[in-house]
Amino acid sequence: MRALRLLAAPLAVFALTVSASAFAHDPSEKVTILQDEVLKNVPGKKALMIEVDYKPGQSSIAHKHEGTAMAYVLSGSIVSQVKGEQPKTYKAGEYWYEPAGSEHLVSKNASATKPAKLLVFMVLSPDEKVLIPLEN
């Protein structure tokens, strides 16, 4: 019984530490779909407008898009790297293009202290996935 009491306190402290660190930060960015429209002049395609909010130091998982993507930095700065290219930091007002199927290896807030916001415009088929995680 005494041994159980001796272990109880350290286990309680450990449990509180682990659960506090699990909620200390969000592991992924906030994604908001602003617009999702079928393109009447392009049969079988739709357009998506997405806002991506990154907290300081936050990043996306490595992924690819089945559709074409164009990104515009609304605020802060974003580090982006597509497979076969070097990472590049984009500041507010700058933009880039990703052809359908591109592997987006890095997409993250360049700042550890300030948030960043990205506007993404995509064209894809209604049955295509917006984001497909890459396997290591």
Side-chain angles (χ1 to χ4, degrees):
M1 188 71 164
R2 185 170 191 263
L4 184 59
R5 272 188 276 167
L6 288 174
L7 285 174
L11 285 175
V13 169
F14 175 74
L16 288 172
T17 303
V18 169
S19 55
S21 65
F23 296 106
H25 67 285
D26 259 338
S28 64
E29 71 282 8
K30 177 185 171 198
V31 176
T32 305
I33 296 176
L34 302 173
Q35 209 169 6
D36 184 347
E37 299 289 335
V38 172
L39 296 173
K40 293 179 182 177
N41 64 331
V42 186
K45 296 291 181 182
K46 71 176 184 174
L48 278 178
M49 189 183 309
I50 302 169
E51 187 176 78
V52 182
D53 289 287
Y54 289 103
K55 292 181 181 175
Q58 202 170 40
S59 63
S60 301
I61 59 170
H63 61 275
K64 69 178 179 178
H65 306 283
E66 289 185 310
T68 298
M70 292 179 281
Y72 178 82
V73 181
L74 293 169
S75 63
S77 54
I78 303 286
V79 177
S80 180
Q81 179 185 14
V82 175
K83 187 175 183 177
E85 298 177 11
Q86 293 297 314
K88 183 173 177 185
T89 301
Y90 296 89
K91 297 176 183 168
E94 296 181 323
Y95 49 87
W96 70 91
Y97 168 80
E98 291 178 36
S102 297
E103 294 186 4
H104 201 167
L105 305 177
V106 177
S107 182
K108 68 179 183 177
N109 186 341
S111 173
T113 59
K114 297 177 184 174
K117 189 177 291 195
L118 188 60
L119 182 66
V120 180
F121 179 78
M122 296 184 74
V123 176
L124 64 164
S125 297
D127 61 336
E128 290 180 323
K129 295 180 181 176
V130 173
L131 184 142
I132 300 168
L134 294 177
E135 296 180 17
N136 293 339

